[in-house]
Amino acid sequence: NAGVTQTPKFQVLKTGQSMTLQCAQDMNHNSMYWYRQDPGMGLRLIYYSASEGTTDKGEVPNGYNVSRLNKREFSLRLESAAPSQTSVYFCASSELALNTGELFFGEGSRLTVL
Amino acid sequence: KQEVTQIPAALSVPEGENLVLNCSFTDSAIYNLQWFRQDPGKGLTSLLLIQSSQREQTSGRLNASLDKSSGRSTLYIAASQPGDSATYLCASVNFNKFYFGSGTKLNVKP
């Protein structure tokens, strides 16, 4: 049982480059989330998708775009990377409507922007 | 907006001690409360989830309690071991959003 899978695990970018972080879950969850985690800042919500076909901004959406490709997949795109986007990115999924709402995380994607 | 606070930010105890980690929240209208463990360089692993109608949950040496009226949850770890060293985070769910505390970094000394 894979749970939540993120790719890539590590990435180094130059300022201005673009990239997409991929996330897939195999638990048939409706809700998916993208967080970033920085030292001293805790976990901050970037975007979330309450269900297939919907996306909403979280606390820190600037500089990011998302796509809920289908029920399983939720991608995060950096169009023009900046050093301030150096962080660890976590994807998570949950089923609030039909279940206990337990949140499951991927292993994280560590991004460095030079 | 819900605010979740975890105190202390760091805790160091000798092996074998029983300990309590605290989590407080400002809005009692929570759907559930979840405790996570995070090892350095790793993702968050779910430890225990307490639904709003429950008072506590237990898993092995871990026991989590929830008191919505006082806005508090505690994670009790019995007979701590060096392998328990990690950062512990709590999160509440309010109106379909998750709110995280900043975590307590636990060090259990052999």
Side-chain angles (χ1 to χ4, degrees):
Chain A
N1 190 354
V4 179
T5 304
Q6 293 181 232
T7 56
K9 288 184 170 43
F10 300 93
Q11 184 73 49
V12 179
L13 292 177
K14 294 181 180 179
T15 296
Q17 288 185 319
S18 62
M19 77 159 298
T20 299
L21 301 177
Q22 307 285 355
C23 175
Q25 51 92 9
D26 61 4
M27 295 171 282
N28 203 36
H29 287 166
N30 276 304
S31 301
M32 298 185 72
Y33 308 82
W34 277 105
Y35 291 90
R36 61 178 288 174
Q37 187 177 41
D38 303 288
M41 300 293 290
L43 277 161
R44 292 182 291 172
L45 182 65
I46 304 171
Y47 271 95
Y48 67 101
S49 171
S51 61
E52 185 178 355
T54 69
T55 60
D56 286 288
K57 295 178 180 179
E59 299 173 68
V60 288
N62 292 344
Y64 304 96
N65 286 301
V66 291
S67 296
R68 183 74 183 265
L69 305 170
N70 47 55
K71 192 171 185 179
R72 289 188 65 246
E73 298 173 291
F74 188 38
S75 63
L76 178 71
R77 183 162 178 83
L78 287 70
E79 291 291 353
S80 179
S84 62
Q85 294 178 305
T86 294
S87 187
V88 181
Y89 292 85
F90 289 102
C91 178
S93 74
S94 176
E95 183 55 64
L96 284 167
L98 303 174
N99 209 326
T100 62
E102 188 171 4
L103 189 64
F104 294 88
F105 279 85
E107 284 292 306
S109 299
R110 285 147 186 83
L111 175 65
T112 300
V113 183
L114 302 175
Chain B
K1 178 190 169 186
Q2 176 75 292
E3 291 185 7
V4 180
T5 304
Q6 291 186 251
I7 296 174
L11 182 64
S12 184
V13 300
E15 181 177 5
E17 271 203 10
N18 302 324
L19 58 100
V20 174
L21 306 181
N22 295 298
C23 172
S24 61
F25 45 93
T26 54
D27 186 347
S28 63
I30 61 172
Y31 183 79
N32 67 35
L33 190 131
Q34 195 170 351
W35 282 92
F36 296 89
R37 168 185 174 138
Q38 185 175 29
D39 293 291
K42 300 292 187 182
L44 281 74
T45 301
S46 179
L47 295 174
L48 288 165
L49 180 145
I50 311 174
Q51 293 181 264
S52 62
S53 59
Q54 299 174 322
R55 294 298 301 269
E56 64 179 297
Q57 283 287 332
T58 298
S59 176
R61 294 182 294 108
L62 305 180
N63 176 277
S65 67
L66 175 65
D67 184 346
K68 289 200 304 179
S69 62
S70 65
R72 289 190 61 194
S73 176
T74 60
L75 179 67
Y76 175 81
I77 302 177
S80 59
Q81 303 170 358
D84 294 329
S85 297
T87 297
Y88 292 80
L89 296 96
C90 65
S92 73
V93 180
N94 298 65
F95 303 105
N96 295 333
K97 288 187 179 180
F98 291 84
Y99 296 89
F100 285 85
S102 53
T104 294
K105 187 173 183 179
L106 174 66
N107 178 35
V108 181
K109 298 173 288 185

